[in-house]
Amino acid sequence: MTSTPLTFEQKLANYADLLVRVGVNLQPGGKLYLNAPIEAASLARLVAQKAWEAGAVDVDVHYADQQLSRLMYDHAPQAALDYAPAWATEQAMHQLDDGYVFLSIAGSDPDLLAGADQERIARRSKVTAQQGRAVSERMGAFEVNWSVGAMPVPSWAAKVFPELPLDEAISQLWEAIFTVSRADRPDPVEAWRAHTEQLARVRDHLNGRRYQALHFRNAHSDIVFGLADGHLWAGGAWPAQNGVAGVPNLPTDEVFTAPHRDRIDGYVRASKPLSVRGTLIEDIYMRFEAGRVVEATASRGQEVLTALLDTDEGARHLGELALVEYDSPVASTGVLFYNTLFDENAASHIALGRAYSFNVEGGTQPATGAQALTQAGANDSLIHVDWMIGTPDTDVDGVYPDGRRESVMRAGKWKF
Amino acid sequence: MTSTPLTFEQKLANYADLLVRVGVNLQPGGKLYLNAPIEAASLARLVAQKAWEAGAVDVDVHYADQQLSRLMYDHAPQAALDYAPAWATEQAMHQLDDGYVFLSIAGSDPDLLAGADQERIARRSKVTAQQGRAVSERMGAFEVNWSVGAMPVPSWAAKVFPELPLDEAISQLWEAIFTVSRADRPDPVEAWRAHTEQLARVRDHLNGRRYQALHFRNAHSDIVFGLADGHLWAGGAWPAQNGVAGVPNLPTDEVFTAPHRDRIDGYVRASKPLSVRGTLIEDIYMRFEAGRVVEATASRGQEVLTALLDTDEGARHLGELALVEYDSPVASTGVLFYNTLFDENAASHIALGRAYSFNVEGGTQPATGAQALTQAGANDSLIHVDWMIGTPDTDVDGVYPDGRRESVMRAGKWKF
Ligand SMILES: [Zn+2]
Ligand SMILES: [Zn+2]
Ligand SMILES: [Zn+2]
Ligand SMILES: [Zn+2]
């Protein structure tokens, strides 16, 4: 028995279906907020159709235009950078109250803001992060299902495959996305069931261990990540507070938890470039003392990196530690995506800034969650920026409170 | 001395400049809400840049995707048609409070919803009109400046120039838009000053006359339009309630006022097809008795026309009577635009539904305006739909309360 490869249209339909049924797991009678780049209109329309067919009573599509951000930084008066009316987040708050699920389509030029005024970007980023803080917190607590997919917009595809003609670059990037998202499988929903079951097994194993710290080493890094007290590992599919299970990122190959804000010591080097605030940062190196970044360099984008760390005190501490096998599906494509949604699933990574409240016991409790997070040592900040540190030569040990050690990873693979 | 014709880029820049400086007349420190089809991103970006350069502190761009409407009508469950949360209009209310100016870019397939379920469209249109009622009323009272421009999106250009290859159809439609918007002039802002001064002369003349009715006749129409008591003629540029003068439509060649809800008798035939709710209606014929439509037929789109009239009682009465010379700039292009923004400036026209509150003395007063409008005989409805009735053989008489008559138009031209 042979099986015919799917056509592009079949894979695209599968992908839209996965975003709706697996990513945000839209229920009949549900409501969908969809954010997409204008270049992703074709995908947005497919998603909308799938959502209507799933019985949605609202599909609220907001299109984003990356060029408008660049224009703002290049042409707006200074007062515009500080303008952030409180009412601008009211709609998102209403939609959270009303149980909307939130789907975002990623896709932008990784170098969109290269050469723009970094001081203006940092200032504006801080203003909008403050403005969006309440919404971010509710999203971060997984109050409702949300997920992120992607669309190969031309400026992005050209960056990933600079040697190819644009049309081919776009279709190569689509194929890579289909592969890592399992949209090329005959039954992608079943493939995701099996995959998230496997991630759940890893997650449950680590949750059973109650390590106090992880010791992470490779040729360029030697660092001990203390974990938050009562930390919880997450990964794959899990229920939002309404009880509906979804998958917040498509693809996802990570399991992750909250490190302890003040218990990280050592040095670590990035294994991939990072596109953040529209600029590429390359060869990041950081040294930590008592959880705090005390040294941070990059061969490119140093100015952006420094501005990021200067956002607030929490930006110099970590909010996430994620483990990914070196030969994960994303890594196996051999593609450097210049997009965190993908690249973070090709390598173990850490995030500067805020921890997810569901990564700590009691962290999502309405009245007591904030205090639980602080007491557990989970970090807080306006930012949450992942960067990749995993390599094929990475060893990770789990360290118990009494100093006993166990192998967690050897040469970038699980060792349990 | 010869003058060089402007390049396409110069005309496009002029057009964006006109929308910002003449249309909404954005002031330094002002805030702009811009609504545009996704296909008009290039124009939206130009407008955004002009707005920043004019000193805007916010440029809030919302992209619309006509295909999403079609998908909704074709695939959404019935409950979606009735879904209209109150919070969805809160942002517009906040922006009105904060003095935003509102610019819309028109451009859609005139036949977008042909063949879709008319009952679903009528139902949804009514729900959204009710939902947007408070916003519409504040816009209708010209509380802040708003204006409408256009972009030749492919589906529209193809309809206007079906015999041309798509690229040529788009550039022909651009040229037509540039011409009627005076964007092809060396000093378009000055050209608009002169043009609106000319419209002001006509408007002031008619306002001085205090006619009780206008008698409108051509080969296919014979109808007396009673005018609202205390009616005011508008046209060209005039100040919003904040005192800043703008031009609500680019182009505009009309002067218009509020007819009396119950004082219209006779019959009238459309001189152009009308695209409304995504469907073309052709050869409209209507007969009025005591202001009410008692007979309404069309050779195409009858179902849409009937549904429109059945929206509410006010949909069977008129809210606007506009006079336009038969050889206006838009008419002189010889182009049938299938878009009211343009076609209404090629011919005298009337609108089913709501009257503008600024077309009646005292109509925009916060506390007493609604009562003033009712007492003056101005019509109210959820809809306002213009359709074209002017022809080169149209004669219009002004009728005084004592029955005395004066020529207002002869053979489609002003006669004063
Ligand atoms: Zn992660
Ligand atoms: Zn993260
Ligand atoms: Zn009009
Ligand atoms: Zn009108």
Side-chain angles (χ1 to χ4, degrees):
Chain A
M1 190 184 118
T2 64
S3 76
T4 327
L6 304 184
T7 64
F8 178 82
E9 277 64 34
Q10 287 170 320
K11 287 182 271 194
L12 191 63
N14 277 352
Y15 186 57
D17 208 42
L18 284 172
L19 292 172
V20 172
R21 289 174 59 200
V22 172
V24 293
N25 197 355
L26 184 72
Q27 303 293 300
K31 297 158 196 162
L32 171 66
Y33 173 96
L34 173 61
N35 189 279
I38 51 171
E39 299 92 339
S42 57
L43 177 59
R45 291 167 190 160
L46 256 183
V47 166
Q49 185 173 338
K50 297 280 182 193
W52 292 128
E53 288 168 356
V57 300
D58 193 23
V59 177
D60 183 18
V61 181
H62 286 242
Y63 283 109
D65 180 0
Q66 54 176 348
Q67 294 302 329
L68 290 172
S69 321
R70 178 84 213 205
L71 285 169
M72 186 193 193
Y73 289 121
D74 290 349
H75 299 283
Q78 199 69 11
L81 302 177
D82 295 329
Y83 180 74
W87 50 254
T89 60
E90 278 179 17
Q91 175 160 330
M93 295 297 264
H94 284 300
Q95 290 183 322
L96 279 162
D97 292 342
D98 288 2
Y100 275 68
V101 298
F102 290 73
L103 179 60
S104 288
I105 306 299
S108 59
D109 182 351
D111 240 348
L112 175 73
L113 300 179
D117 185 329
Q118 286 304 325
E119 210 176 303
R120 284 165 65 87
I121 296 170
R123 181 169 177 157
R124 180 66 184 161
S125 301
K126 191 163 175 177
V127 167
T128 53
Q130 274 158 342
Q131 181 190 34
R133 166 114 216 184
V135 172
S136 295
E137 279 177 1
R138 295 179 67 180
M139 296 282 185
F142 216 38
E143 233 182 74
V144 297
N145 289 100
W146 52 261
S147 190
V148 185
M151 166 94 186
V153 309
S155 53
W156 177 30
K159 192 84 190 176
V160 178
F161 297 108
E163 71 289 0
L164 296 181
L166 188 57
D167 277 11
E168 264 179 67
I170 291 171
S171 61
Q172 284 292 307
L173 189 48
W174 261 133
E175 290 307 322
I177 293 174
F178 290 150
T179 302
V180 300
S181 307
R182 300 171 176 78
D184 59 351
R185 311 287 178 90
D187 186 347
V189 172
E190 166 56 24
W192 269 93
R193 201 203 46 72
H195 174 56
T196 55
E197 203 169 277
Q198 169 63 14
L199 284 171
R201 201 189 62 79
V202 174
R203 181 186 72 199
D204 294 348
H205 170 88
L206 290 171
N207 274 329
R209 281 338 213 205
R210 312 314 312 153
Y211 295 126
Q212 187 172 58
L214 293 182
H215 187 175
F216 181 104
R217 273 164 308 170
N218 58 36
H220 303 287
S221 307
D222 187 351
I223 185 164
V224 174
F225 297 106
L227 301 182
D229 301 325
H231 67 271
L232 296 170
W233 289 86
W238 72 95
Q241 289 188 36
N242 58 16
V244 178
V247 177
N249 287 176
L250 287 186
T252 185
D253 296 300
E254 59 171 327
V255 293
F256 61 101
T257 193
H260 195 287
R261 184 181 49 229
D262 302 321
R263 298 179 189 157
I264 298 164
D265 288 276
Y267 62 93
V268 60
R269 207 174 271 282
S271 52
K272 288 176 189 290
L274 169 68
S275 170
V276 65
R277 294 184 179 172
T279 305
L280 276 179
I281 312 186
E282 289 175 16
D283 304 314
I284 302 174
Y285 166 87
M286 286 191 201
R287 196 162 59 77
F288 290 79
E289 283 178 14
R292 190 164 194 275
V293 176
V294 292
E295 196 183 339
T297 59
S299 66
R300 181 175 187 253
Q302 175 79 54
E303 205 189 348
V304 180
L305 182 61
T306 305
L308 209 58
L309 291 166
D310 287 346
T311 306
D312 51 25
E313 178 54 29
R316 288 193 172 264
H317 297 257
L318 295 186
E320 177 184 338
L321 168 63
L323 297 178
V324 179
E325 287 189 305
Y326 87 92
D327 59 351
S328 74
V330 173
S332 299
T333 63
V335 175
L336 178 60
F337 287 83
Y338 299 104
N339 185 299
T340 299
L341 174 65
F342 298 91
D343 292 333
E344 73 165 353
N345 288 301
S348 292
H349 55 271
I350 51 182
L352 295 166
R354 183 167 54 245
Y356 287 105
S357 52
F358 52 72
N359 275 143
V360 169
E361 271 170 33
T364 62
Q365 291 299 316
T368 56
Q371 207 195 339
L373 289 164
T374 307
Q375 283 182 351
N379 190 35
D380 188 25
S381 168
L382 285 174
I383 68 164
H384 176 104
V385 176
D386 301 271
W387 57 285
M388 284 59 76
I389 61 172
T391 56
D393 69 334
T394 293
D395 290 343
V396 180
D397 284 352
V399 186
Y400 287 104
D402 63 6
R404 211 160 28 94
R405 287 173 166 256
E406 271 174 10
S407 295
V408 172
M409 278 188 151
R410 282 296 174 268
K413 297 285 288 178
W414 299 121
K415 195 73 187 178
F416 51 79
Chain B
M1 191 185 117
T2 63
S3 76
T4 327
L6 305 184
T7 65
F8 177 82
E9 277 65 33
Q10 287 171 321
K11 286 183 272 194
L12 191 63
N14 277 351
Y15 186 58
D17 208 42
L18 284 171
L19 293 173
V20 172
R21 289 173 60 199
V22 172
V24 293
N25 196 355
L26 184 72
Q27 303 293 301
K31 297 158 197 161
L32 171 67
Y33 174 96
L34 172 61
N35 189 280
I38 51 172
E39 299 94 338
S42 57
L43 177 60
R45 292 167 190 160
L46 256 183
V47 166
Q49 185 172 339
K50 298 280 182 192
W52 291 129
E53 288 168 357
V57 300
D58 194 23
V59 177
D60 183 17
V61 181
H62 286 241
Y63 283 109
D65 180 0
Q66 54 176 346
Q67 294 302 330
L68 290 172
S69 320
R70 178 83 213 207
L71 284 169
M72 185 193 193
Y73 288 121
D74 289 350
H75 299 284
Q78 199 70 10
L81 302 176
D82 295 328
Y83 181 74
W87 50 255
T89 60
E90 277 178 19
Q91 175 159 329
M93 295 298 264
H94 284 299
Q95 290 183 320
L96 279 161
D97 291 342
D98 288 2
Y100 275 68
V101 298
F102 291 73
L103 180 60
S104 288
I105 306 298
S108 59
D109 181 352
D111 241 348
L112 175 73
L113 301 179
D117 185 328
Q118 285 305 324
E119 209 174 305
R120 285 165 64 86
I121 296 170
R123 181 168 177 158
R124 181 65 184 162
S125 301
K126 191 163 175 177
V127 167
T128 53
Q130 274 159 342
Q131 182 189 33
R133 166 115 216 182
V135 173
S136 295
E137 278 177 1
R138 295 179 68 179
M139 295 283 185
F142 216 38
E143 237 183 70
V144 296
N145 289 99
W146 53 261
S147 189
V148 185
M151 166 93 185
V153 308
S155 53
W156 176 29
K159 192 84 189 177
V160 177
F161 297 108
E163 73 288 359
L164 296 181
L166 187 57
D167 277 12
E168 265 178 66
I170 291 171
S171 61
Q172 284 292 307
L173 188 48
W174 261 133
E175 290 306 323
I177 292 173
F178 290 150
T179 302
V180 301
S181 307
R182 299 171 176 79
D184 58 351
R185 311 286 178 92
D187 185 349
V189 172
E190 165 56 25
W192 270 93
R193 201 204 45 72
H195 174 56
T196 55
E197 203 170 278
Q198 169 62 13
L199 284 170
R201 200 189 62 79
V202 173
R203 180 187 75 198
D204 294 348
H205 170 88
L206 290 171
N207 274 329
R209 285 331 216 207
R210 313 313 313 152
Y211 296 126
Q212 186 172 59
L214 293 183
H215 188 175
F216 182 103
R217 273 164 307 169
N218 58 36
H220 303 286
S221 307
D222 188 351
I223 186 165
V224 174
F225 297 107
L227 301 182
D229 301 325
H231 67 271
L232 296 170
W233 290 86
W238 73 94
Q241 288 187 38
N242 58 15
V244 177
V247 177
N249 288 176
L250 286 186
T252 184
D253 296 300
E254 58 171 328
V255 293
F256 61 101
T257 193
H260 194 288
R261 185 180 50 228
D262 302 320
R263 297 180 190 156
I264 297 163
D265 287 276
Y267 62 92
V268 60
R269 207 174 271 281
S271 52
K272 286 176 190 293
L274 169 68
S275 170
V276 64
R277 294 183 178 171
T279 305
L280 276 179
I281 312 185
E282 289 176 15
D283 304 314
I284 303 173
Y285 167 88
M286 285 193 200
R287 197 162 57 78
F288 290 80
E289 283 178 14
R292 189 164 194 276
V293 175
V294 292
E295 197 184 337
T297 60
S299 67
R300 180 175 187 254
Q302 175 79 53
E303 205 189 346
V304 180
L305 183 61
T306 305
L308 209 59
L309 291 167
D310 286 345
T311 305
D312 52 24
E313 178 54 30
R316 290 194 170 264
H317 297 256
L318 295 186
E320 178 184 337
L321 168 62
L323 298 178
V324 180
E325 288 188 305
Y326 88 91
D327 59 352
S328 75
V330 174
S332 299
T333 62
V335 175
L336 179 59
F337 287 84
Y338 298 104
N339 184 301
T340 299
L341 175 64
F342 297 91
D343 292 333
E344 73 165 353
N345 288 302
S348 293
H349 56 270
I350 51 182
L352 295 166
R354 184 168 52 245
Y356 287 106
S357 52
F358 53 71
N359 275 142
V360 168
E361 272 170 31
T364 61
Q365 291 300 317
T368 56
Q371 207 195 339
L373 288 164
T374 307
Q375 283 181 351
N379 189 35
D380 188 25
S381 168
L382 285 174
I383 68 164
H384 176 104
V385 177
D386 300 90
W387 57 285
M388 284 58 76
I389 61 173
T391 57
D393 69 333
T394 292
D395 290 344
V396 179
D397 283 354
V399 186
Y400 286 103
D402 63 5
R404 212 160 27 96
R405 286 170 168 258
E406 272 174 9
S407 295
V408 171
M409 278 189 151
R410 282 296 173 268
K413 297 285 288 178
W414 298 122
K415 194 73 186 179
F416 51 80

